[in-house]
Amino acid sequence: MDTALENRLTELLGGKIDDAGDQDLYKAILSLVKEKIGDRPETVGNKKLYYISAEFLIGRQLGKNLLNLGIYSQVSEILKAHGKDLAAVEDREPEPSLGNGGLGRLAACFLDSIATLDLPGDGVGLRYHFGLFKQEFRDNCQYEIPDHWLEEPGILTKTNVTFPIIFGNMTVQSRMYDLDVVGFRKGHTKLHLFDIDSVDESLVKDGIQFDKTLIEKNLTLFLYPDDSDKDGQLLRIYQQYFMVSNAAQLIIQEQKELGHDLRKMAEHVAIQINDTHPSLVIPELIRLLILEGISFKEAAGIVTGVCGYTNHTILAEALEKWPMSYLNEVVPHLMPIIGGLDYAAVCAYHDNRNLNIIDDDGKVHMARMDMHYSHSVNGVAALHTKILKHQELRPFFEAYAEKFNNKTNGITFRRWLMHCNTELSGMITDLIGEDWMENAAELERLMYFHNDEGVLRHIDEIKQKKKEEAAKYILEKEGIEIDPSSVFCIHVKRMHEYKRQQMNALFIIYEYLNIKAGNYPVKPITVIFGGKAAPAYIMAKNVIHLILCLQNLVNSDPVVSKYLRVVMIQNYNIAKAEMIIPAADISEQISLASKEASGTGNMKFMLNGAVTLGTNDGANVEIRDLVGIENIYTFGRSSDDVINLYNTNGYHAIDFYNRSESIRRCVDFITSPELLSIGNEQMLRDLQDNLKNKDWFMTLLDLESYASAKETAVFDYQNRAKWTRMMLVNIARSGFFSSDRTILEYNRDIWHLR
Ligand code: 26Q
């Protein structure tokens, strides 16, 4: 045991480890981590990246920091020797929910990889006082509770860095807070989160409601405040401008401190714009360069050389466009610049109205500004980039083919294997050594064992252990008993119609009706859901309602529950993901083909030995290509077919409903007496009507092929030799999805950091 470490921990505690509670231990280890980080120099170089993002879904930091500092097992042993459990201590840390889902989690994985690769690059975002709401279920419905995560002492360090941020009607003084990002074994960068001192948390009333007009008090209160009215939209513009003006001023300050010529900014600075939320950085940086005496034209050229834009979605409603009048209210000083950019780009070089930054309705299209004034435009998976080039952003691809490139997403294996699945991680190291921790491509060497019965059995035993742990957790936290020997089908992600949780719910109904009719599945199945619905997204909330009603109906039926169980985990977050993902047998990735830009959960499941049941969408396509068609279950219509159906208005849900008795029975059951006795009639009827008459994301199109693929997977699961080999192949071929690989590609093609 490391006695120096033990002594220091005891000192920091100011008392014996034996006598300390988990909370005291948490605080002491937090201090220990801060000390150790202080010993590690910050990564510097000739060129620095600023990754600007409205979301950083970083998850709890303590365990990850211990792991990356190389003292996780030492600290764990010290605690164990004193009868304490590090996992219980980690559990004391409030989770910073500074993101929604994929985009925010990607930013967090990227920071881990940037630090680990010892690249100079900082994150820039906002210090929201309340992250994404906490989800509670009551009466089979979602309720939103404010989630206050900030505490003292905490993971953020208050700095003296402040900037004046100018709005149309006032100027506020910002303050920067820093989070240390330590890489695995080496590297140290920062996440800078900006705030203002005058934020007033007591503004929050009645769930997550607050007065949206008091900008000085509410600016950084919430991530994604409700923007269904004008005040909400104005607040979002205030937030976005606040974020990017801070970023731009920080960059200029740092460049001046380094003595760099601002005209040569592109040699020393790279900015990555994470979706359109930080797009105003383009006019803001131009404005500041003009104040430094640089001409508009030259400033626009400099900024184009600095900025890269990443697109994360092809859903039209997620492409931000703001009325000019709103921007005029919040950031009038940017309007001449945005106007100038529109004129310069569109009038000078293109005559296609679809390329205008400002459209005929006076709306400013953020993504269009990004594409004109960035030198790189990337999608996040091969299929996604292809669809951007040839469908969604086609006119821009025609104008700027050289800017377009693909960067398939990745995940950090430190959190998504080493931290969440120490058993599997240990086994891999025993088999192939530990080089894979820094070079994930090494996992391929596991293929050598693909016929080794001992290895396959061991993988199976680890999976079983993780399933037992998850079952225990679900019993304790959700009060639902599940059978660890059943097949765990796990479907966790944000609730959205395109992700088609409703299709999985219809499968549950299909199985329920089968079992009621005496046709039992070959193996008991447990379907586990988790995910939050946006507070204003009625249909997503209706889907949650249906799932919770089914959970109620299925689990309390003495016969059905022997073969089928349903669990919807409350408040799905990073900590719960780390518990649940290692326990998956089947990874449900069932989005409507063409709609999921990439997905990153799919990668986390694969890495932990789950087999994908998915459509040919997003990064699923690349998973399929890597593991081979015999190690994945794919189903459903192709993205080409789907795009064609949209273009020709060729999909009519009602035809599928009328044509197939089995589909009709499932859809009808949503308003059966059984479910109506549990749930809310209006919500269930609305959902059913939507599925029959609208079904914008084509659930009924793929329902039958989904059910049959899932049945095949469950059948195959019984063949343990076959299944465990599939698990091994999935793990061995997952190396490509390390975010280290993704970041190296960004650096090679876009950032060129040295
Ligand atoms: C837009 C306008 C108004 C209000 C909110 C928004 C908004 C907010 C969040 C639009 C998009 C987001 C988040 C998108 C997101 O998380 N996309 C996911 O990004 C992942 C990382 O690239 C991909 O893996 C997922 O496929 C993609 O859905």
Side-chain angles (χ1 to χ4, degrees):
M1 203 157 72
D2 190 331
T3 45
L5 202 62
E6 186 179 20
N7 291 341
R8 186 63 195 134
L9 190 56
T10 311
E11 271 170 36
L12 287 167
L13 260 174
K16 291 202 182 115
I17 297 181
D18 300 76
D19 303 337
D22 288 339
Q23 186 66 22
D24 301 325
L25 284 166
Y26 169 64
K27 294 277 152 71
I29 299 175
L30 187 65
S31 306
L32 181 76
V33 163
K34 284 193 174 165
E35 277 182 14
K36 295 275 173 200
I37 292 175
D39 295 342
R40 199 184 270 198
E42 264 184 67
T43 306
V44 288
N46 182 44
K47 187 171 182 187
K48 180 170 171 181
L49 163 75
Y50 296 83
Y51 193 90
I52 312 180
S53 176
E55 302 186 24
F56 285 94
L57 193 45
I58 54 179
R60 287 175 178 158
Q61 296 292 294
L62 191 73
K64 182 213 71 168
N65 282 336
L66 289 172
L67 182 81
N68 282 5
L69 290 164
I71 54 172
Y72 190 93
S73 51
Q74 287 90 319
V75 171
S76 171
E77 270 171 37
I78 292 168
L79 294 197
K80 211 167 173 186
H82 293 274
K84 312 285 175 191
D85 174 23
L86 179 53
V89 175
E90 286 178 55
D91 224 16
R92 307 307 296 204
E93 182 178 347
E95 175 166 323
S97 294
L98 309 184
N100 245 306
L103 167 147
R105 184 53 233 174
L106 185 78
C109 285
F110 279 5
L111 291 182
D112 186 76
S113 287
I114 288 166
T116 298
L117 294 164
D118 216 5
L119 293 169
D122 290 348
V124 181
L126 294 178
R127 179 180 179 261
Y128 305 104
H129 291 234
F130 299 89
L132 194 65
F133 65 87
K134 215 174 234 147
Q135 179 192 54
E136 273 182 20
F137 297 147
R138 267 175 272 143
D139 307 325
N140 300 313
C141 292
Q142 166 179 296
Y143 285 81
E144 296 101 27
I145 318 286
D147 181 15
H148 189 263
W149 69 281
L150 290 166
E151 61 174 18
E152 287 299 336
I155 54 174
L156 296 182
T157 308
K158 186 173 180 175
T159 77
N160 291 323
V161 178
T162 71
F163 298 109
I165 308 296
I166 303 168
F167 295 114
N169 54 351
M170 67 181 143
T171 297
V172 299
Q173 192 78 20
S174 72
R175 180 181 297 285
M176 186 168 90
Y177 291 79
D178 278 356
L179 177 94
D180 290 292
V181 183
V182 280
F184 179 61
R185 292 184 175 154
K186 59 183 185 314
H188 175 191
T189 63
K190 302 269 185 194
L191 170 57
H192 305 294
L193 298 178
F194 286 91
D195 199 358
I196 45 174
D197 293 348
S198 56
V199 165
D200 180 0
E201 295 175 1
S202 71
L203 222 56
V204 180
K205 308 230 160 51
D206 188 18
I208 51 175
Q209 302 302 314
F210 64 97
D211 184 335
K212 282 183 261 180
T213 59
L214 303 169
I215 301 302
E216 281 165 288
K217 294 186 176 188
N218 68 21
L219 183 59
T220 51
L221 260 187
F222 277 101
L223 164 76
Y224 298 132
D226 163 46
D227 64 356
S228 53
D229 59 8
K230 181 181 173 191
D231 286 337
Q233 290 175 28
L234 290 176
L235 175 53
R236 279 181 57 88
I237 302 174
Y238 276 103
Q239 285 190 333
Q240 294 186 351
Y241 178 68
F242 179 74
M243 172 168 76
V244 302
S245 181
N246 276 298
Q249 293 188 63
L250 177 69
I251 292 170
I252 289 187
Q253 186 181 70
E254 291 191 347
Q255 286 303 295
K256 283 183 176 172
E257 279 166 11
L258 288 164
H260 290 153
D261 179 354
L262 292 178
R263 292 190 157 78
K264 295 192 175 151
M265 192 182 266
E267 290 174 26
H268 302 290
V269 175
I271 293 175
Q272 196 63 31
I273 299 176
N274 198 28
D275 221 276
T276 53
H277 321 132
S279 301
L280 287 175
V281 74
I282 290 173
E284 175 65 358
L285 196 51
I286 293 173
R287 184 182 74 87
L288 295 175
L289 290 174
I290 292 171
L291 291 179
E292 298 286 338
I294 298 174
S295 73
F296 171 82
K297 197 169 169 211
E298 188 179 2
I302 294 169
V303 169
T304 307
V306 165
C307 290
Y309 159 62
T310 305
N311 175 291
H312 294 267
T313 179
I314 50 180
L315 297 184
E317 65 266 26
L319 286 178
E320 288 181 299
K321 36 182 193 283
W322 297 117
M324 252 200 311
S325 60
Y326 289 14
L327 288 170
N328 218 359
E329 206 171 318
V330 181
V331 284
H333 46 299
L334 289 189
M335 289 322 288
I337 296 173
I338 294 173
L341 291 175
D342 188 36
Y343 182 80
V346 181
C347 305
Y349 301 113
H350 314 282
D351 49 13
N352 183 343
R353 305 290 299 161
N354 293 328
L355 294 171
N356 286 18
I357 296 174
I358 304 173
D359 69 17
D360 294 343
D361 299 331
K363 290 209 168 124
V364 180
H365 290 240
M366 296 308 188
R368 295 186 189 172
M369 187 163 65
D370 292 323
M371 290 185 281
H372 286 297
Y373 295 99
S374 298
H375 65 285
S376 163
V377 176
N378 77 282
V380 291
L383 176 67
H384 171 56
T385 302
K386 193 180 120 194
I387 294 173
L388 292 181
K389 283 182 184 176
H390 302 296
Q391 315 279 336
E392 294 308 306
L393 305 179
R394 187 179 185 139
F396 282 88
F397 178 60
E398 281 163 0
Y400 302 113
E402 73 290 351
K403 293 188 184 186
F404 280 71
N405 64 97
N406 175 246
K407 295 288 166 281
T408 298
N409 283 166
I411 56 172
T412 170
F413 285 24
R414 268 77 63 180
R415 185 181 288 272
W416 296 110
L417 188 63
M418 292 166 64
H419 185 252
C420 73
N421 199 341
T422 44
E423 296 85 348
L424 184 56
S425 174
M427 182 193 128
I428 292 171
T429 301
D430 288 344
L431 291 174
I432 62 170
E434 59 173 41
D435 289 356
W436 66 271
M437 295 176 180
E438 286 178 87
N439 177 12
E442 289 281 311
L443 287 176
E444 177 74 31
R445 290 170 54 198
L446 288 171
M447 284 305 285
Y448 177 79
F449 302 98
H450 85 286
N451 282 322
D452 185 320
E453 277 178 30
V455 168
L456 297 180
R457 197 174 327 114
H458 195 181
I459 291 183
D460 209 14
E461 284 161 9
I462 290 170
K463 179 63 77 183
Q464 200 51 39
K465 173 159 189 269
K466 300 314 273 183
K467 288 171 71 177
E468 277 157 22
E469 285 173 14
K472 185 164 168 269
Y473 180 88
I474 287 171
L475 182 61
E476 274 167 19
K477 300 271 160 144
E478 317 288 329
I480 297 172
E481 199 174 340
I482 56 175
D483 172 8
S485 71
S486 62
V487 189
F488 282 15
C489 303
I490 307 196
H491 197 171
V492 285
K493 47 185 83 251
R494 282 305 297 264
M495 299 299 296
H496 201 292
E497 287 166 279
Y498 85 78
K499 294 177 186 283
R500 295 197 295 189
Q501 284 95 349
Q502 69 277 17
M503 190 162 77
N504 201 341
L506 289 171
F507 173 82
I508 291 167
I509 294 175
Y510 168 79
E511 281 299 327
Y512 173 89
L513 294 173
N514 277 342
I515 296 167
K516 281 290 191 194
N519 303 319
Y520 304 123
V522 293
K523 180 93 192 149
I525 302 171
T526 301
V527 185
I528 302 175
F529 295 91
K532 297 177 187 177
Y537 191 171
I538 304 291
M539 211 39 77
K541 288 184 153 177
N542 290 345
V543 174
I544 291 181
H545 184 59
L546 173 62
I547 291 170
L548 290 172
C549 291
L550 286 169
Q551 171 181 296
N552 204 307
L553 176 73
V554 165
N555 298 355
S556 62
D557 185 305
V559 178
V560 176
S561 63
K562 282 193 207 141
Y563 302 96
L564 182 64
R565 296 263 169 139
V566 179
V567 179
M568 173 114 196
I569 293 170
Q570 231 166 146
N571 197 45
Y572 178 66
N573 61 10
I574 305 292
K576 293 197 179 182
E578 288 193 49
M579 166 61 62
I580 210 74
I581 290 173
D585 294 309
I586 292 176
S587 155
E588 305 249 15
Q589 308 300 336
I590 63 176
S591 55
L592 175 65
S594 80
K595 293 294 174 191
E596 189 69 272
S598 163
T600 43
N602 45 4
M603 304 167 186
K604 294 163 196 165
F605 281 103
M606 176 192 191
L607 174 60
N608 281 277
V611 180
T612 305
L613 167 63
T615 46
N616 286 310
D617 198 16
N620 296 352
V621 175
E622 286 156 87
I623 293 179
R624 182 201 65 198
D625 291 347
L626 284 161
V627 299
I629 193 71
E630 66 283 9
N631 293 302
I632 187 170
Y633 296 89
T634 59
F635 67 90
R637 299 285 275 270
S638 69
S639 56
D640 284 343
D641 285 355
V642 170
I643 290 167
N644 193 34
L645 284 172
Y646 277 116
N647 289 342
T648 57
N649 268 327
Y651 175 70
H652 305 285
I654 195 71
D655 295 344
F656 285 79
Y657 173 87
N658 286 332
R659 254 185 265 141
S660 158
E661 200 205 319
S662 120
I663 291 179
R664 205 160 51 241
R665 278 171 54 216
C666 294
V667 175
D668 286 349
F669 191 78
I670 295 173
T671 52
S672 61
E674 291 91 321
L675 282 177
L676 287 181
S677 73
I678 297 169
N680 174 299
E681 172 159 3
Q682 189 68 48
M683 292 172 83
L684 294 172
R685 264 197 208 292
D686 286 351
L687 178 57
Q688 184 180 57
D689 281 351
N690 186 292
L691 281 170
K692 282 161 72 171
N693 302 315
K694 187 163 173 242
D695 192 21
W696 183 245
F697 295 101
M698 305 183 188
T699 312
L700 305 189
L701 177 73
D702 287 340
L703 179 59
E704 284 174 319
S705 70
Y706 170 55
S708 104
K710 197 151 163 174
E711 284 178 330
T712 308
V714 172
F715 181 83
D716 289 354
Y717 180 86
Q718 300 173 100
N719 180 344
R720 296 317 291 158
K722 176 178 174 150
W723 192 269
T724 51
R725 199 172 307 116
M726 287 170 68
M727 290 167 71
L728 179 119
V729 173
N730 271 273
I731 300 165
R733 295 269 154 85
S734 65
F736 176 74
F737 297 113
S738 163
S739 47
D740 297 348
R741 187 270 312 152
T742 313
I743 288 300
L744 286 172
E745 288 182 8
Y746 272 92
N747 193 40
R748 183 193 64 200
D749 301 340
I750 306 171
W751 303 333
H752 312 295
L753 310 175
R754 281 151 286 160

